[in-house]
Amino acid sequence: MATPPDTQDEEMAVSYSTPATSSGLLRAPTRSLLAGVYAPTPCFFDHNEEVDVDAISKHTARLARAGLAGITTQGSNGEAVHLAPYERQLVTHTTRAALDNAGFTHIPIIVGCGAQSTRESISLCREAAESGGDYVLILPPSYYKASYSHSSLLSHFRAIASASPLPVVIYNYPGAAAGIDLDSDTLLELAKHPNIVGAKLTCANVGKLARVVAGTSSSLLTPDADKDAELAPPLLHTPKTTPTPSISDLTPEPDHTTSSPAAFTVLAGSADFLLPSLSVGAAGGLVGLANITPKTCVALQRAYEANDFKRARWLQEILARSDEVVQKMGVVGTKVVLQALFKYGGHARRPLPRVGEDISNEQAMEWVRGFQEAMNVEEELR
């Protein structure tokens, strides 16, 4: 039997404003975001294009052992647009299980939940919570770009944040959103929402990043008075004065006890500007290159935190050269390199191209050679 129209409207309003847990309350995350390097992991498939849970588990554990602070599923590398809803949940569930089974129960998972409608994004946020996610990453919608107003985009993010059972991280990536580039004023306005707790900036605008960091210090940030969601637990940054492990000590777990609270965390979205971002207050980076050379990315941040700026600059130069290769080859090339170096990776789902069909073996080998310098450093850091 159809629901009466007035009841449908009432249910819609509730779904857009009430955090979706069984108790009707915002779910407090059990794992804090710590300062450090995060990786947006690929979704791996077998030869029949079925989700390869063994490869996902192997990759997740390798990254955790390398010292990463967190994992993102369904990010730009995760082929979320190629996944059915149940597959998205399977990937996040498998990632959580892999972390727990490897002894990294403290590492959080950020789940990409951006969609073209507010309603679908909210649904994805709820599914992310059910499958073991700790935070959600929201990219702006872009299909009807010409019709969006500044106000409608603000309303989109705020509605998601008010309804999501998990805290929200805004994802600013013009290249994946038809050129939509959220400016610092917009990000600072969104940061006032109590359930919007961070931002990933892949726009490579360090000036914008600096403005957002400066404008979201705990002394300046004032939550919107008219929002009904509870204030999410603080994100954590590692203070510069805290002793850090030596750069050669590559596999210790992060120190949870020496971090200081902050209201909002900003992450660089690419490894090629990680050091400049750290220098203006970023908590770290959520970077695709960490899938291939996680220890080198971690070593850069540790060098910076240890005030070893000469080493940090040297590592940044290496990562910048490797990151250029990543940006050119995309997720297909990332999988090609992982397959060549670590014996897992496989193909992306069609219609993305494949080696031997749409991509020559020579091109694939050129991609692998592009990582030789960074892999030499990665090997030395073992």
Side-chain angles (χ1 to χ4, degrees), residues 226-313:
D226 60 345
K227 300 298 181 291
D228 59 2
E230 295 179 1
L231 188 64
L235 303 183
L236 302 178
H237 293 199
T238 302
K240 298 293 189 294
T241 56
T242 300
T244 59
S246 69
I247 295 170
S248 61
D249 186 10
L250 294 165
T251 56
E253 296 183 1
D255 185 348
H256 311 277
T257 63
T258 57
S259 297
S260 60
F264 196 84
T265 285
V266 184
L267 298 170
S270 182
D272 63 354
F273 64 101
L274 179 56
L275 181 56
S277 298
L278 292 171
S279 72
V280 296
L286 204 175
V287 300
L289 187 56
N291 285 295
I292 300 172
T293 57
K295 293 175 183 177
T296 309
C297 294
V298 170
L300 187 158
Q301 179 145 357
R302 289 181 179 170
Y304 174 78
E305 292 173 348
N307 296 322
D308 188 349
F309 303 124
K310 182 177 180 180
R311 182 174 180 82
R313 286 194 298 269

Side-chain angles (χ1 to χ4, degrees), residues 42-93:
C43 176
F44 300 104
F45 305 106
D46 64 20
H47 65 283
N48 291 320
E49 293 195 3
E50 297 295 333
V51 174
D52 188 340
V53 294
D54 290 337
I56 292 170
S57 298
K58 181 177 181 179
H59 185 64
T60 300
R62 182 176 75 86
L63 299 186
R65 287 192 293 268
L68 294 196
I71 299 293
T72 295
T73 60
Q74 280 94 64
S76 299
N77 276 323
E79 293 187 63
V81 295
H82 290 166
L83 301 178
Y86 78 91
E87 291 177 317
R88 295 174 71 122
Q89 290 187 281
L90 174 62
V91 170
T92 300
H93 176 78

Side-chain angles (χ1 to χ4, degrees), residues 329-353:
M329 69 187 189
V331 64
V332 172
T334 296
K335 288 186 170 184
V336 168
V337 173
L338 287 172
Q339 184 68 48
L341 298 177
F342 301 103
K343 308 308 178 186
Y344 66 86
H347 296 296
R349 269 188 175 166
R350 298 181 191 277
L352 287 175

Side-chain angles (χ1 to χ4, degrees), residues 100-187:
D100 293 348
N101 291 338
F104 298 96
T105 57
H106 61 279
I107 290 182
I109 298 175
I110 307 171
V111 184
C113 292
Q116 295 307 307
S117 74
T118 308
R119 186 185 186 95
E120 184 181 0
S121 282
I122 291 170
S123 178
L124 291 173
C125 291
R126 293 171 177 171
E127 292 172 359
E130 293 170 359
S131 54
D134 298 287
Y135 300 83
V136 294
L137 185 68
I138 306 296
L139 184 75
S142 58
Y143 190 84
Y144 294 108
K145 175 186 175 182
S147 298
Y148 301 139
S149 66
H150 181 256
S151 176
S152 66
L153 285 176
L154 287 176
S155 296
H156 171 76
F157 285 110
R158 286 169 174 161
I160 293 169
S162 291
S164 172
L166 301 177
V168 171
V169 177
I170 303 296
Y171 186 11
N172 187 52
Y173 184 13
I180 292 177
D181 190 1
L182 304 175
D183 61 23
S184 55
D185 289 342
T186 300
L187 292 167

